[in-house]
Amino acid sequence: MNLRVLRIELRRSVAPWAGAVVLAAALAFLYLIPGPWWKGTAMWTNQWTPMALWTRSLLYYLWPLAVGFGALQGLRDHRSKMSELLTSTPRPVRHRAATLTGTTAITLASAFTLLVLVGAVQVPGNTEYTHLGWLPISLVGALSLVAGAVLGMGAGRTLPSALTPPALAMGAFVFTALMHTSLGRTRTTTTAEVPSTEPNLVSLLSPAVQEVRDALVTLSASVHVGQTVWLLGLAVTGFALLVAATPRARLLALTPVLAGVALALLVLPSDPRRMYVVDEAAAELVCDGPVCVTTMHQERLDDLAGPGKEALRLLRGALGDQAPVAVRENTAVLPHGAMPQWSRTTVLFDFDDEIIAAAQGEELTRALIAEAMVPGCSPVGWTSVGRDTFARTVAVGWVLGDLTSLPGTEPASWRREVDAESRPAWKELKALPRDEQLARINAMRAAAFSCEGDAFQALNGGASR
């Protein structure tokens, strides 16, 4: 297909509209609708892998649009009543089909590429960590749009009805929805006895990916390979339907997609822990003495090293031999609803933790002490505030000798409530002999690290307030 043919096809097809709608809808979603893609370390323009995953997640809506536009394109000859005329021309049907599919493929792939580029030009300004591990995620995303459109064209040519495009678009949307809800999820119960779900093998047949929870998470290589095989089978079936002229040929055209599904299910991992995996290169630690961050966040090490070392010194003076000896960014990625796992010898922190995220300069020392004393027992993916905050405030005040609000204690009404609960407990603790103070602090830490019992109640000597 030369440029002249391409220009003609662009003028007389819906391909430009398909690309424009896909790009505009994606950008409107990312920029106009607030969500987790706007904040935290997994914000869609903060790191390369989250950028690729967030744009892939939009295929939940964009893929049905591509399928619907493809079906509309496949109806073109039928609407213009030219089917019989075209079949009488000497030019092979596959040549016309290649021109039609090529135009749409170029347009949709270009639209998705532009979407990725919008994020890609912003990422270097937010991170020093550069890699190409995100590229397969985006390439498979572009392939899925092309495959969906080609499948829609073949279906539109096979079922030439005005109802075909909306019916296919709705069917594609139902497919992506089911892949991310009932059919594509396996119900589990975590160690915290919290009902949750995990993606299963079937969910990987969806062009979209699940919501990005952690910037260190990426898709495994077997997922890329399996999805590519499945999508190629889908595209070949769509093209075969587009050129098929007999019922037998249309039936045989289903062979590639069935073979693609069978091969993909053999390649795709069945264990959720092998689907969404930790990027080992990004999670590798970079250290300044006892203070370490991941390679992904290495530009933050300079700001964290001083407060981290100061926090360890203060903890050593307060806790003695029981004090932690290192500060390290937490690289463990646990299932949704699982209980966090903490270490007494290492202060594990997350840049998305509300206390760490709100701290700046010297406040980081106070925030790290809070993480070391009462790390928190909310299940992964859950947000809760309450008595752990009271215990943290008292514990940090005990270490520093001065009770003040912790970073991230907002709004003002919540700050006043924290002060009203923690100040009497802090005064009571400071009035006790040193040995009794340390005993209560140890009891509080035992409850906090085991996630059994109430840390604030243990700090008060077992009495509830």
Side-chain angles (χ1 to χ4, degrees), residues 50-68:
M51 182 272 296
L53 289 173
W54 278 122
T55 51
R56 270 287 295 277
S57 71
L58 295 180
L59 295 180
Y60 187 95
Y61 309 99
L62 301 181
W63 193 70
L65 286 176
V67 173

Side-chain angles (χ1 to χ4, degrees), residues 387-426:
R387 296 172 67 83
D388 276 355
T389 304
F390 306 153
R392 279 178 168 178
T393 303
V394 175
V396 174
W398 178 78
V399 172
L400 299 178
D402 178 29
L403 188 74
T404 58
S405 298
L406 294 176
T409 311
E410 300 292 344
S413 58
W414 172 238
R415 189 164 57 248
R416 287 192 295 269
E417 182 179 347
V418 172
D419 187 73
E421 290 286 340
S422 59
R423 190 164 295 278
W426 179 69

Side-chain angles (χ1 to χ4, degrees), residues 345-422:
T345 59
T346 302
V347 182
L348 297 176
F349 72 93
D350 192 316
F351 283 113
D352 284 331
D353 186 281
E354 58 183 9
I355 296 180
I356 300 294
Q360 295 181 352
E362 295 182 356
E363 288 183 334
L364 274 171
T365 299
R366 185 179 294 271
L368 290 170
I369 293 174
E371 296 287 349
M373 299 297 281
V374 184
C377 288
S378 298
V380 174
W382 292 45
T383 300
S384 64
V385 293
R387 296 172 67 83
D388 276 355
T389 304
F390 306 153
R392 279 178 168 178
T393 303
V394 175
V396 174
W398 178 78
V399 172
L400 299 178
D402 178 29
L403 188 74
T404 58
S405 298
L406 294 176
T409 311
E410 300 292 344
S413 58
W414 172 238
R415 189 164 57 248
R416 287 192 295 269
E417 182 179 347
V418 172
D419 187 73
E421 290 286 340
S422 59

Side-chain angles (χ1 to χ4, degrees), residues 20-368:
V21 169
V22 164
L23 180 59
L27 292 177
F29 188 95
L30 289 171
Y31 282 104
L32 300 181
I33 300 178
W37 48 89
W38 277 16
K39 56 189 177 183
T41 58
M43 187 172 73
W44 84 285
T45 56
N46 258 8
Q47 300 287 343
W48 292 102
T49 299
M51 182 272 296
L53 289 173
W54 278 122
T55 51
R56 270 287 295 277
S57 71
L58 295 180
L59 295 180
Y60 187 95
Y61 309 99
L62 301 181
W63 193 70
L65 286 176
V67 173
F69 273 112
L72 186 61
Q73 182 82 314
L75 290 177
R76 186 180 67 179
D77 293 347
H78 176 76
R79 291 198 315 269
S80 60
K81 304 185 185 330
M82 294 177 57
S83 300
E84 292 185 5
L85 176 62
L86 291 173
T87 55
S88 66
T89 62
R91 188 183 183 192
V93 176
R94 63 179 181 276
H95 288 183
R96 296 196 304 271
T99 301
L100 188 67
T101 56
T103 303
T104 304
I106 291 172
T107 305
L108 287 174
S110 298
F112 193 76
T113 301
L114 286 174
L115 172 64
V116 173
L117 285 176
V118 170
V121 297
Q122 300 178 69
V123 171
N126 296 319
T127 183
E128 296 178 359
Y129 178 60
T130 302
H131 64 105
L132 295 177
W134 60 274
L135 199 54
I137 302 173
S138 296
L139 290 176
V140 174
L143 175 61
S144 67
L145 285 177
V146 172
V150 175
L151 179 68
M153 289 181 209
R157 178 69 63 86
T158 304
L159 302 171
S161 168
L163 298 178
T164 299
L168 278 179
M170 182 56 65
F173 178 74
V174 170
F175 173 77
T176 57
L178 289 176
M179 291 301 98
H180 288 268
T181 54
S182 56
L183 292 182
R185 309 291 293 186
T186 301
R187 191 172 181 83
T188 60
T189 301
T190 64
T191 53
E193 299 299 320
V194 178
S196 183
T197 61
E198 292 181 339
N200 60 30
L201 179 63
V202 177
S203 70
L204 297 178
L205 296 179
S206 172
V209 298
Q210 69 179 11
E211 183 179 288
V212 184
R213 291 195 296 108
D214 195 301
L216 293 174
V217 171
T218 187
L219 290 172
S220 64
S222 57
V223 172
H224 299 319
V225 174
Q227 289 180 337
T228 300
V229 170
W230 146 245
L231 291 170
L232 287 175
L234 206 64
V236 173
T237 286
F239 188 82
L241 287 173
L242 196 58
V243 300
T246 64
R248 183 173 179 272
R250 294 187 182 103
L251 191 60
L252 289 175
L254 300 178
T255 303
V257 70
L258 296 177
V261 171
L263 290 175
L265 292 178
L266 291 175
V267 174
L268 293 170
S270 58
D271 186 349
R273 291 171 297 183
R274 293 175 53 227
M275 298 175 187
Y276 293 87
V277 298
V278 174
D279 186 338
E280 297 294 341
E284 187 176 349
L285 294 178
V286 179
C287 301
D288 182 344
V291 181
C292 301
V293 299
T294 60
T295 302
M296 178 176 284
H297 296 133
Q298 59 187 343
E299 71 276 0
R300 300 194 181 192
L301 181 59
D302 290 342
D303 294 333
L304 190 73
K309 294 173 183 177
E310 178 65 9
L312 292 176
R313 185 187 69 80
L314 293 169
L315 288 166
R316 177 74 178 181
L319 298 174
D321 294 339
Q322 299 183 50
V325 296
V327 174
R328 178 168 63 82
E329 183 180 353
N330 194 358
T331 58
V333 178
L334 301 177
H336 190 277
M339 292 303 295
Q341 300 173 359
W342 305 114
S343 168
R344 286 178 174 269
T345 59
T346 302
V347 182
L348 297 176
F349 72 93
D350 192 316
F351 283 113
D352 284 331
D353 186 281
E354 58 183 9
I355 296 180
I356 300 294
Q360 295 181 352
E362 295 182 356
E363 288 183 334
L364 274 171
T365 299
R366 185 179 294 271
L368 290 170

